[in-house]
Amino acid sequence: MKRVGERGSGEWERISWDEAISTIAEKWKEYRSKYGNQSLSFYWGSGATGQLAPGNATGLMGRLVNVLEFTNIDYCVDLAMSVGVGWVSASGALNDITNVKYSDRVVLWGCSLSDAWWQFWKPVADAMENGTRLITVDPNFSTSASKSDLWISNRPGSDPLLILSLMQYIIEHDLHNKDFLIGHTNASFMVRSDNGKILRMSDLGQEPTEGPVNPYTGQPTIIDPPVVWDEETSSLQAWNVATKPTLHKNYVHEGLRLDTAFDLVVAELQNYKAEKITELVGVPVDQIELLALEQTKGNVWNLTGMASQAYKNGAVFGQVLVCLNLITGSIGRPGATVGAAWRFFSMNGAVLTPTGTTMTNVPVLGLNQVMDSGKFKGQDWPIKALYVAAANPVSCAADYHGIKSWWDRIEFIVVADLQFTDSVKYADLVLPVAHALETEDVKTSGYFPFIGISEKAIEPLFEAKTDGDIARLLAEQLGVGEHFRLSNDEFLRDRIDNAPAAKAQNITLDRLRKEKDIYLEGPGTAFEGGYFPTETGKANLYCEMVAPRLNWGQDFDPTAVRVPRFFPPHESWPTSEAMKKYPMALMSERLRTRWHTNEYENEWLAEIGQEPLVKINPIDAVERGITDGSLVEVFNDRGHAVVKAEFSDNIRPGVLLYPKSWQQHEFKAGGWTELTSSFPDPLAVNTSFMDVAADIRPWREEA
Amino acid sequence: MAEKQYGLVVDTKRCVGCHSCSVACKIENNLSAGVIWNRILTNGGASMDSAKGTFPNLSKHYIPMICQHCANPACTKACPVGATYKDITTGAVRQDYDLCIGCRMCMAACPYTGVRSFNWEEPTYTMDFAVGDINVPKHQKHVVEKCTLCYHKLSKGEEPICIDACISGARVFGDLNDPDDKVVNLISKRKYIQLLPERGTNPSVYYLV
Amino acid sequence: MTESTKKTSRSKGQMIAIIIAALIAAIGIGLWAYQLSAGFVNTNMRNLDSWGLYIINFMWFVGLSAGGMIISSAPKVFGAKGFGGISKVAVWVSICCTVLAVAFVLVDLGGPQRVWHLFAYANMSSPLMWDIIVLTLYLIISIVYLWAVLRLEKGKGSAKALRVLSAIALICAVMVHTVTAWIFGLLQARALWYTALLGPWFVSSALVSGLALVLIVVVALRKAGYLELKQENIVKMAKFLGIFMAVDLYFFACDLLTSGFPGAEGATIVAMLTTGALAPFFWTEIILSIIVLFVAFVPTLRTTSLVVCASALAVLAILCKRIQLLVGGFQIPNISYPTVLTGPELSGGGSSLASLSSSLVYVPSPLEFGIVIGVLGLGALLLLLGIRLLPLKPAAEDN
């Protein structure tokens, strides 16, 4: 379809594929020659994933944007946790969920397990029948909380603060695992007080040596061992030479004060004693202490969802949580770990970059700044065209008016989708895309340990084409068709069969077609034996230097998180500017009938579904003169949403909980997307969906 | 007494109210618009998914409810034409759409609110073709219908669709008359409740608590 | 006016009434056809309140019918004189009511074209099946009884045989309404219905409503000059009406006390009736019943017009009772945990699952009212035709 009225007016003209492809190609060629390759941008989401699908910039579409050197608009979603974990462990590897049977405790953090990750619930339920205790940390009484042996309700965004308090309690009561800290973390490394860096043998006059060649840089690795205090010799020694490193030491060496990393961490932790932070965290002292003790009981799996990381302090959340497990030593064993259980399978990436050129990542959170200044990382960076696939940013990204601001400044927008979403509504040209069941593909995901074939059930209906076929047509007209003559079969073979992981496990496309699903071998236990892929094989309790997930020219302090520290959320915190005006913490939960806005038109699911609403504790509601089932307006500076109010004692006072995934036309007025913030945190560069302050009042039509 | 008395054990400690069983049933049996045979009740507060109590002293669990396929059904006694009847081989309470005269006596007789559904108009469907199993009897206007215990699958030696659809492993199917069956084992080992036991219908669904 | 002009104008009046009744009945049939093709969805009955106005009327008319027959046959059985004059009219009223009762079941059926299943595939454990059988028998016996009465008047047949037939008819009338009661009273699913008292209680309600209806009809016919009736008979019938009403209220009181006393499940039912959604019908019944008692037992109030009024109120009181019973049976669901409530659970005329909410779970739709009026038109038609064409006038010696 081609737009004939204003964007969003709903006036369309039906055109042919030929006209559509030619129009796109002509415009793209024009923009490329006038403004450069980066003037074409690509926005993808998780609406369609697989090897041939455009989600995650894979498939032939992904190949095209690399060949043509597009701007890739990084959608900045659900990434903060792994950033923080990565600072500490240098990896995102985690236990296979079936290992939960070895866990003595499973602690859910911001994780509505039984609503959002159903496939994890059964292993946990099985483990519970065998004695595993389930603990939920969640401001609200989720279904997981209703199944838990212990539920701790905390203030939204306070998870890192609570965790730091647990660490303080554990260490103060001498319950920490000293052997693990010494043997598997850099807790015993000496830190220079002048620059906060870890003391190395070169500081003591020993020359660094060369090690094996680093496959990524092509250069030999430099070995300059960090230094510890060896109690055996009562002297500073290299960490791999000392026989009895200690956790507690301060020492002055040639006028320079040195402390063990552990001492620095413990000093910081004194700011987070339970009695001091109980008000801020919103948890009674006895419950904080109880949770701390639970963390010391055997194999503890701190299982996280996506809520705690959706704040400005999301990366820090990941960091401090891993540190908690380091302190208790509950990591590197079956059933003892942190975070969601992933089993990644790395495909052959080369098939996406046949010419060696790649797209450039620009975070969506910084896109308005790029449009304002016309520059990205100091270079001129005009963006003129956008291609959206497998995504619905208008409904699902944060800060609707912020999105519109850059959306409106892009001259030519094409949206490829199979449902009439809000993003399609505001496109210039719409391409009908085939459904996942109308093409063969191979699926693998971080959320289950299989790789499987997704078979083609029927031919694409009506005039729909697969994303891959669209890419091929565009490629031909854009003069790069030579790289797109390969068939889907050839693409899949190259993508799968040539992946190192596939060769290791003898996984091929043919085998997948025969067996349908293949269970992936993988490290069942992450960091087995307490080994971390860092320089020294030890985890970074002390994070000397950190880098942002994506450097787009933002200001950041690489030394900001050397010791685990608390940083408050941006808005959703009692001391924030925003909360002075908007005292409620606004957070979301999932609908059981949709994933994001997918299936919004499914009539079967609609029968068991609901309408847009906001759940509010009756105390808060009555205070504001709101009655159960009445229309209310939830609002802040960025916008509003008019929905039905539902009284629920499940909700912590001071919190508003909204089931998400609605399209604009389903609201009485406004929408949730208007209220969320696109504030870019400098280190994780992640959308802080939950970090929102708002208020609520009865809806008056004329207002 | 029937040869077999097939029944269900539902573990309310595992059930998370996801509705997979409800939707699987809908599709398998090609249910028409608005008809749901398997519904998930929230035993908690006043709305679905809410808990009872005041924050933070809260509790809730889910109760998936289908026709209870009672061993002593009230409905089969009440039907004037025998259109609803107890099947001897499986113990399922079945419904013969062709025989039903639409008097709705069974709906008055059944104590289990909402398990029986009358087609108040010509059934309409989302798809213009039938979905689910090909052997499912066609739905008719102005007759009563309800969970069939997937009789079309039982006759093939398969379990009802809702059993496998459960993501939590909360639903177990078996023969309550067989002392070695897993369902009998479960109810002998775990605490359970039944719905409306005082009505004397002897339901074949047990809820582990 | 001369005798002949009186007769002609009476005749003309009757004809007009017959035509109107026939028209109403025809419209009713049309609406019934509409209900069957466009669907029962046009009624306000839904899954959680699956019976409604038709079954209310069914109960009501079985009661009216049984009452009429009892009034007709009992005096003959017990050899009482003085009622005889109206007994044929009473039987005819009863027969019309029986036909209407069956008609109400028929319009309530989802598949009336399958009504023959009742006879081909009868399930003998079903109280509804018993009622079909008893109703059929009863209709036949009513017709035979009327025929026997007419024969005897012409001098054929024996009074003794008629007495036996009357006894059979009397027993049948009592059974008919008892078995109708069992359709509801044997269902353990609905606490409001499940009581041993329901059988006797339906009989007492039948006596009240049946006698009251007969009273209205015969007074109207006397006014129209169709028959003569001594005032003392009217007084006698009024007293009986009072007695039957007292018995009915006695049963009601027993049931309320038994339900409410333990303060358990029954208490919610008592609350629903006295202060909840059904309170208007409950209190109306009580007040009307008390008025009837006054008129029946206070001699100065026993004027013809007041007696007729009281009879109308009595019939309405029993209707209120039927409404309480039927709607009350569905008003409080056994299982009311929140769940998905889409589709054919509740119509717009209903409420949420809140049991004691002020709104009723069921309120009839215009279509249902239309069909009911159509059936009533059929009843009026039958009644008028019977009066016009059958020799129902009392014989001279009966007065």
Side-chain angles (χ1 to χ4, degrees), chain C residues 140-162:
Chain C
I140 294 168
I141 286 173
S142 306
I143 294 169
V144 168
Y145 174 72
L146 181 61
W147 168 82
V149 169
L150 292 173
R151 267 188 95 219
L152 192 65
E153 277 182 354
K154 294 203 190 99
K156 302 204 197 112
S158 72
K160 188 145 175 268
L162 182 59

Side-chain angles (χ1 to χ4, degrees), chain A residues 126-243:
Chain A
D126 290 341
M128 285 169 76
E129 260 176 31
N130 286 319
T132 303
R133 260 169 80 82
L134 180 66
I135 300 168
T136 294
V137 180
D138 190 322
N140 306 309
F141 190 70
S142 61
T143 302
S144 308
S146 75
K147 306 285 186 202
S148 295
D149 298 294
L150 174 65
W151 167 50
I152 293 189
S153 168
N154 64 328
R155 184 190 300 275
S158 69
D159 299 32
L161 186 54
L162 177 58
I163 293 164
L164 288 161
S165 189
L166 303 178
M167 285 157 67
Q168 191 280 330
Y169 182 91
I170 290 167
I171 293 171
E172 182 180 308
H173 291 79
D174 205 37
L175 295 165
H176 52 296
N177 190 325
K178 302 179 193 71
D179 289 338
F180 188 88
L181 282 163
I182 291 172
H184 300 283
T185 78
N186 66 2
S188 55
F189 291 8
M190 302 301 285
V191 176
R192 298 167 56 133
S193 57
D194 58 342
N195 58 14
K197 288 184 154 184
I198 291 172
L199 188 72
R200 292 174 181 273
M201 290 308 288
S202 57
D203 296 321
L204 301 178
Q206 180 178 298
E207 281 305 304
T209 53
E210 284 193 358
V213 173
N214 181 332
Y216 296 105
T217 62
Q219 300 293 321
T221 49
I222 310 292
I223 300 180
D224 184 6
V227 177
V228 300
W229 179 264
D230 186 4
E231 286 195 322
E232 191 67 37
T233 60
S234 288
S235 64
L236 295 170
Q237 295 290 332
W239 70 272
N240 49 356
V241 168
T243 46

Side-chain angles (χ1 to χ4, degrees), chain B residues 89-135:
Chain B
T89 40
T90 60
V93 173
R94 300 190 61 196
Q95 189 87 21
D96 185 339
Y97 300 158
D98 293 325
L99 205 45
C100 176
I101 62 173
C103 73
R104 309 185 300 291
M105 176 90 184
C106 57
M107 294 175 77
C110 174
Y112 299 101
T113 310
V115 300
R116 281 180 171 273
S117 178
F118 184 72
N119 286 326
W120 299 94
E121 54 186 331
E122 187 63 50
T124 53
Y125 302 90
T126 302
M127 303 284 130
D128 50 13
F129 49 84
V131 298
D133 194 295
I134 202 167
N135 292 314

Side-chain angles (χ1 to χ4, degrees), chain C residues 28-372:
Chain C
I29 290 172
L31 289 173
W32 182 36
Y34 174 74
Q35 177 179 272
L36 289 170
S37 68
F40 268 66
V41 70
N42 294 291
T43 69
N44 273 347
M45 293 183 282
R46 292 293 183 270
N47 286 348
L48 293 175
D49 44 287
S50 44
W51 278 340
L53 196 61
Y54 304 142
I55 301 299
I56 288 170
N57 278 285
F58 163 68
M59 277 195 264
W60 195 34
F61 274 93
V62 174
L64 291 167
S65 152
M69 178 54 89
I70 291 170
I71 300 311
S72 172
S73 59
K76 287 207 173 13
V77 175
F78 300 114
K81 279 258 175 267
F83 275 16
I86 55 140
S87 85
K88 285 178 293 184
V89 171
V91 174
W92 184 244
V93 169
S94 165
I95 289 172
C96 292
C97 288
T98 309
V99 171
L100 290 193
V102 172
F104 279 119
V105 170
L106 203 60
V107 301
D108 185 69
L109 286 182
Q113 76 283 5
R114 292 179 177 176
V115 74
W116 60 274
H117 287 185
L118 285 169
F119 303 101
Y121 300 108
N123 177 19
M124 296 312 292
S125 77
S126 165
L128 205 148
M129 192 64 233
W130 305 340
D131 207 33
I132 301 288
I133 292 170
V134 172
L135 268 171
T136 310
L137 273 172
Y138 175 64
L139 187 60
I140 294 168
I141 286 173
S142 306
I143 294 169
V144 168
Y145 174 72
L146 181 61
W147 168 82
V149 169
L150 292 173
R151 267 188 95 219
L152 192 65
E153 277 182 354
K154 294 203 190 99
K156 302 204 197 112
S158 72
K160 188 145 175 268
L162 182 59
R163 198 152 163 215
V164 168
L165 199 51
S166 305
I168 294 173
L170 178 63
I171 292 167
C172 215
V174 171
M175 283 317 294
V176 145
H177 215 33
T178 306
V179 175
T180 302
W182 287 343
I183 290 173
F184 307 93
L186 298 181
L187 300 182
Q188 81 267 45
R190 307 210 178 254
L192 178 65
W193 298 351
Y194 188 57
T195 167
L197 192 58
L198 211 69
W201 197 0
F202 267 42
V203 174
S204 70
S205 298
L207 288 168
V208 169
S209 57
L211 175 56
L213 182 62
V214 167
L215 250 172
I216 295 169
V217 172
V218 298
V219 169
L221 288 176
R222 183 173 80 165
K223 190 93 191 288
Y226 182 79
L227 54 76
E228 289 185 18
L229 188 59
K230 288 206 195 92
Q231 190 61 22
E232 62 190 57
N233 285 328
I234 291 182
V235 169
K236 222 191 281 189
M237 285 195 278
K239 282 192 205 162
F240 269 107
L241 182 62
I243 292 169
F244 294 152
M245 182 56 97
V247 170
D248 199 64
L249 285 175
Y250 164 67
F251 284 153
F252 204 171
C254 285
D255 194 55
L256 279 173
L257 183 65
T258 311
S259 285
F261 182 81
E265 182 183 13
T268 43
I269 287 167
V270 174
M272 168 185 76
L273 292 174
T274 53
T275 57
L278 289 164
F281 299 102
F282 175 83
W283 290 109
T284 303
E285 182 190 348
I286 300 296
I287 290 166
L288 295 184
S289 304
I290 291 171
I291 294 173
V292 169
L293 287 176
F294 269 106
V295 172
F297 295 130
V298 176
T300 43
L301 294 174
R302 276 199 298 257
T303 65
T304 308
S305 44
L306 275 181
V307 166
V308 169
C309 276
S311 300
L313 296 183
V315 170
L316 281 172
I318 298 304
L319 177 62
C320 284
K321 155 142 229 47
R322 307 302 187 193
I323 292 170
Q324 283 169 68
L325 191 78
L326 193 303
V327 180
F330 295 101
Q331 180 74 22
I332 304 178
N334 289 337
I335 298 176
S336 59
Y337 296 126
T339 181
V340 171
L341 267 189
T342 58
E345 295 303 317
L346 287 157
S347 65
S351 71
S352 70
L353 282 178
S355 57
L356 295 177
S357 71
S358 55
S359 51
L360 287 169
V361 74
Y362 164 79
V363 166
S365 73
L367 174 68
E368 291 169 271
F369 280 118
I371 290 179
V372 166

Side-chain angles (χ1 to χ4, degrees), chain A residues 95 180 329-334 336-337 525-532:
Chain A
N95 277 7
F180 188 88
S330 184
I331 191 161
R333 295 194 302 278
T337 189
T525 303
F527 314 119
E528 186 134 32
Y531 174 80
F532 296 85

Side-chain angles (χ1 to χ4, degrees), chain A residues 121 126 143 147 592 607 650, chain B residues 12 14-15 17 26 34 49 51:
Chain A
W121 167 242
D126 290 341
T143 302
K147 306 285 186 202
R592 60 166 61 93
E607 284 186 9
N650 297 30
Chain B
T12 63
R14 284 180 178 255
C15 175
K26 172 116 193 161
D49 305 316

Side-chain angles (χ1 to χ4, degrees), chain A residues 614-632:
Chain A
V614 63
K615 299 184 183 178
I616 181 171
N617 190 293
I619 298 171
D620 290 328
V622 165
E623 235 173 57
R624 289 164 169 75
I626 292 169
T627 54
D628 196 7
S630 63
L631 281 177
V632 289

